[in-house]
Amino acid sequence: MSSPEDGFDEAYTGTPPWDIGRPQSAVRSVFESQSFEGPFLDIGCGTGENALYLADRGYSVLGVDASSRAIEKARAKSKAHDGAEHVRFEVQDALSLDDLNEQFGTALDCGLFHVFDDEDRRSYVASLSTAVAPNGHVVVLCFSDREPGDWGPRRISEHELRAAFADGWMVETIEPTQFEVNADQEGISPSNDDSVEAWLAVVRRSDE
């Protein structure tokens, strides 16, 4: 089974709509307002903005993405970054996180959850359970069904989020927020100038 991430490599020949050149505001907000255990795993890290932000805060971070181009760009950024000693980047399929042979206190999914169809979503959550330590957290920022229109990725309902993490996980919070985008990129038609409706979920893996 191949991940939909595999088709994203071509997007990084330029600047994809989700690569805004800074960490997402919703990501900054949740990590500034809540305390999470490390080390951190940034899944679908793209060119590394969120991972580098976490590294700046002193966390040990592994950023992974199926796109080798994205990882090359993330590594280049990290070389000139103050938090470089705290972060590393690797090419990795999100559906096979057990291949990492590591466990993390917190995983961040910024813009990945909504790319999966129903079958791959189940595989993805099972993959997460191999990488997130018991009582560890997953923070998910994904497209919301509150966003009008049918352009772009699949819209996710609150019910779908809760259902995905119903077995072996506890949903602590789901809040409406925004996902910032490059609105001038092809195929992007947000309801606001530079953001789309999103969900921010904090999920805890059940103790074993």
Side-chain angles (χ1 to χ4, degrees):
M1 182 184 300
S2 63
S3 165
E5 287 180 290
D6 297 341
F8 283 22
D9 206 46
E10 187 66 25
Y12 286 101
T13 58
T15 302
W18 56 88
D19 189 3
I20 61 172
R22 62 185 185 276
Q24 288 281 335
S25 294
V27 170
R28 294 199 312 268
S29 177
V30 71
F31 286 109
E32 288 169 4
S33 63
Q34 298 187 45
S35 177
F36 295 94
E37 294 294 324
F40 281 66
L41 177 64
D42 183 2
I43 311 166
C45 66
T47 63
E49 294 292 347
N50 293 314
L52 290 168
Y53 160 76
L54 292 170
D56 279 347
R57 295 178 64 81
Y59 295 116
S60 174
V61 187
L62 171 60
V64 298
D65 202 289
S67 167
S68 59
R69 286 194 178 104
I71 292 300
E72 288 174 5
K73 291 183 177 184
R75 287 172 175 168
K77 285 181 182 180
S78 70
K79 289 179 181 178
H81 207 273
D82 292 341
E85 69 272 20
H86 298 298
V87 65
R88 56 197 169 99
F89 294 100
E90 301 292 343
V91 177
Q92 176 64 47
D93 187 343
L95 302 186
S96 303
L97 295 175
D98 56 320
D99 291 345
L100 295 173
N101 293 315
E102 297 182 54
Q103 284 204 319
F104 300 84
T106 305
L108 170 64
D109 172 339
C110 179
L112 179 60
F113 185 88
H114 56 237
V115 311
F116 295 116
D117 62 22
D118 291 345
E119 181 179 359
D120 279 348
R121 185 188 298 164
R122 287 189 290 270
S123 298
Y124 174 54
V125 174
S127 179
L128 280 173
S129 70
T130 70
V132 177
N135 282 320
H137 287 87
V138 180
V139 177
V140 178
L141 180 64
C142 67
F143 263 48
S144 165
D145 57 353
R146 294 175 299 112
E147 178 66 25
D150 57 3
W151 60 273
R154 176 177 179 175
R155 274 71 167 153
I156 303 298
S157 69
E158 181 177 352
H159 171 76
E160 286 176 298
L161 267 171
R162 293 188 181 278
F165 291 101
D167 187 10
W169 303 84
M170 177 179 293
V171 177
E172 294 188 343
T173 59
I174 299 179
E175 299 177 351
T177 187
Q178 283 75 45
F179 191 102
E180 295 164 303
V181 295
N182 293 313
D184 58 347
Q185 297 295 311
E186 184 177 356
I188 294 294
S189 302
S191 53
N192 297 315
D193 288 342
D194 58 0
S195 65
V196 297
E197 296 295 330
W199 297 114
L200 179 66
V202 177
V203 183
R204 180 175 59 82
R205 187 179 169 207
S206 299
D207 191 10
E208 293 183 349

